[in-house]
Amino acid sequence: MSHRDRPTRQQFLRFLTGGLTAATAFGQDNGPVFAGKRTMIVHNDFPEDLETPLDAFGSWLTPNDAFFVRQHLPRPEVDIRAWRVEISGLADKPQSLSLDDIRRMRQYIVPATLECTGNGRGYFRPSMPGLLWKKGGIGNAEWRGVRLADLLRLVNVKTGAAFVDVDGADTGVSKTPDFIRSIPMRKALDPATLIALEMNGAPLPEIHGGPMRLVVPGWNGANWVKWVNRLNLVAESNSGFYMNPAYKYPKVPLPPGTAARPEDLAPLERMPVKSFFFSPQPESKHTRGPVSLRGLAWAGERRIARVDVSVDRGLNWKAAELGKEDFPSAWRLFRCDWTPAGAGYHVVMCRATDDAGVTQPIDAAWNPSGYLWNSVDRLGVLVEG
Ligand SMILES: Nc1nc2c(c(=O)[nH]1)N[C@H]1C(S)=C(S)[C@@H](COP(=O)(O)O)O[C@H]1N2
Ligand SMILES: [Mo]
């Protein structure tokens, strides 16, 4: 196996001719090796859509080489010496900044969890088109960079600017449009919203948007624009594909398998409360004795108040022990030591509650694009004896 960095001509042609959809249907564990990555679950090899395997979730920070990857478009060619960020639109003093200009500004560190809006899509029934992520379209990192608010202050934002359109260096190819996201000013000016240059103490890897990406703590992954090279201050939200109809969610519950009327869709912002077990592995076999159930819980812009575990199919619930790392918009580790009552097949479940008192649902609402899967997690365990 060879390390892949640049696509082959065949991969590019497959992308142009729409071979994508067929390749997205099944994640595979034994796909090609990608530069800077350990073995990942490969949903697409080009553009790379890589899921983190469960066994890489043992730590609060997800290592960069195991962090999931989601790209709609081929990665841009990156020349960091020539890199510029243009800040313009409704601004009195438009600016063009180099990487060094940005490095000279005050840097902040924000730990935050990045989750793909479609994480868990593979569990919805009926199924829908799109990447069939299971649990691993998520990761947690320490992001270091400048505040978006500090960049905007440099240009003297005009009154009437209500959104920042954030664009990356990847451009539309064939039928796939350019990736642009509109961030409402309220979130753009939040002190935790960063343009990050580092991830877990290392320069931001190119595959994660290096040299710089947007970090929007608590908001779904689609907002975290990679390879940022243009910030455009505008009065109205962008009307491009990735703001409309993509990444919108029905305001009213829909019968599974039906379409939403466009006027019933609203843009997705923060992520809902959710948790999952990463250990033991699903359907693993154990000898008699204690089993340590370990997992992660997060709640978008809210904090985790508690995680409960059931070992009797949801009849009784018991509080799990929460990990010591506790920051807004970053997930929390939890554990629960359990001694199975006897040999045989057991099902364990976890459900998190956020600090507004909202508990994750037993059954996440079906929606046409398969966003925001957050059903109570369940795990089968076989005890031999
Ligand atoms: N420029 C650009 N930024 C992007 C995307 C993209 O396709 N192009 N994908 C978005 C989506 S849908 C997700 S979930 C996150 C994934 O970030 P990661 O690849 O670093 O995990 O990046 C977001 N930023
Ligand atoms: Mo995503």
Side-chain angles (χ1 to χ4, degrees):
M1 285 195 289
S2 64
H3 276 273
R4 294 270 177 102
D5 203 14
R6 288 289 135 204
T8 62
R9 198 179 134 72
Q10 272 160 316
Q11 286 174 312
F12 209 89
L13 285 175
R14 178 153 51 76
F15 174 69
L16 288 180
T17 53
L20 254 187
T21 343
T24 53
F26 304 98
Q28 293 172 18
D29 262 317
N30 52 355
V33 175
F34 298 86
K37 289 285 165 190
R38 66 176 82 171
T39 303
M40 301 287 280
I41 301 165
V42 180
H43 290 282
N44 279 308
D45 59 359
F46 176 75
E48 298 93 334
D49 290 312
L50 314 176
E51 176 166 343
T52 304
L54 279 186
D55 60 18
F57 283 119
S59 53
W60 184 65
L61 293 175
T62 312
N64 290 357
D65 71 352
F67 208 99
F68 87 99
V69 176
R70 170 69 176 119
Q71 276 154 215
H72 294 274
L73 291 153
R75 281 197 269 144
E77 297 283 347
V78 170
D79 175 357
I80 58 169
R81 279 157 312 172
W83 196 267
R84 312 250 4 141
V85 185
E86 313 293 333
I87 314 176
S88 55
L90 295 171
D92 289 328
K93 291 195 300 178
Q95 301 271 340
S96 168
L97 303 175
S98 70
L99 194 51
D100 278 339
D101 292 334
I102 293 179
R103 283 194 185 121
R104 277 193 288 269
M105 295 170 61
R106 175 138 185 215
Q107 309 287 308
Y108 297 85
I109 293 179
V110 172
T113 297
L114 162 54
E115 183 179 19
C116 180
T117 328
N119 193 27
R121 181 180 291 122
Y123 297 118
F124 278 111
R125 296 291 177 273
S127 63
M128 64 284 287
L131 295 175
L132 299 181
W133 301 101
K134 291 190 151 177
K135 296 183 187 179
I138 186 165
N140 188 53
E142 263 175 9
W143 311 92
R144 184 174 188 270
V146 296
R147 286 181 170 158
L148 180 57
D150 288 350
L151 287 175
L152 298 180
R153 196 166 302 121
L154 297 175
V155 301
N156 285 358
V157 177
K158 288 187 177 159
T159 48
F163 296 88
V164 189
D165 278 1
V166 185
D167 193 2
D170 49 347
T171 54
V173 174
S174 176
K175 285 188 195 119
T176 312
D178 194 4
F179 190 87
I180 299 174
R181 291 287 301 176
S182 297
I183 308 293
M185 209 47 106
R186 166 179 57 87
K187 189 67 175 173
L189 297 180
D190 186 303
T193 300
L194 301 184
I195 294 283
L197 310 177
E198 288 181 22
M199 177 177 181
N200 291 329
L204 185 65
E206 237 181 82
I207 201 165
H208 292 292
M212 60 184 80
R213 81 173 307 161
L214 192 62
V215 166
V216 197
W219 282 28
N220 72 83
N223 294 293
W224 296 48
V225 180
K226 305 195 268 191
W227 311 290
V228 170
N229 64 359
R230 203 163 63 92
L231 301 171
N232 191 23
L233 290 148
V234 292
E236 279 177 41
S237 180
N238 192 274
S239 58
F241 176 77
Y242 292 106
M243 286 305 296
N244 184 21
Y247 300 114
K248 286 190 157 189
Y249 190 88
K251 286 181 265 187
V252 289
L254 291 175
T258 61
R261 294 183 309 175
E263 62 269 32
D264 289 338
L265 293 171
L268 277 173
E269 297 184 339
R270 69 178 190 84
M271 296 299 279
V273 60
K274 181 171 169 184
S275 64
F276 72 88
F277 293 114
F278 60 77
S279 181
Q281 292 286 308
E283 312 301 316
S284 54
K285 294 193 177 78
H286 297 258
T287 52
R288 280 191 178 227
V291 178
S292 172
L293 305 172
R294 302 180 62 212
L296 290 156
W298 63 100
E301 290 174 314
R302 296 185 186 151
R303 293 202 183 202
I304 287 296
R306 57 186 293 138
V307 177
D308 295 287
V309 170
S310 173
V311 298
D312 60 4
R313 295 185 180 263
L315 295 177
N316 295 284
W317 295 86
K318 187 183 130 192
E321 188 190 320
L322 298 179
K324 62 179 187 315
E325 295 92 350
D326 181 14
F327 293 89
S329 307
W331 64 20
R332 275 188 97 167
L333 284 159
F334 71 84
R335 73 180 289 156
C336 175
D337 292 321
W338 163 58
T339 304
Y345 186 67
H346 299 265
V347 173
V348 297
M349 300 179 184
C350 60
R351 67 173 192 201
T353 300
D354 69 24
D355 64 359
V358 177
T359 298
Q360 74 184 101
I362 289 172
D363 185 28
W366 188 95
N367 62 98
S369 300
Y371 296 138
L372 310 190
W373 169 267
N374 70 339
S375 296
V376 161
D377 193 29
R378 40 185 296 155
L379 178 72
V381 172
L382 189 64
V383 178
E384 295 173 317

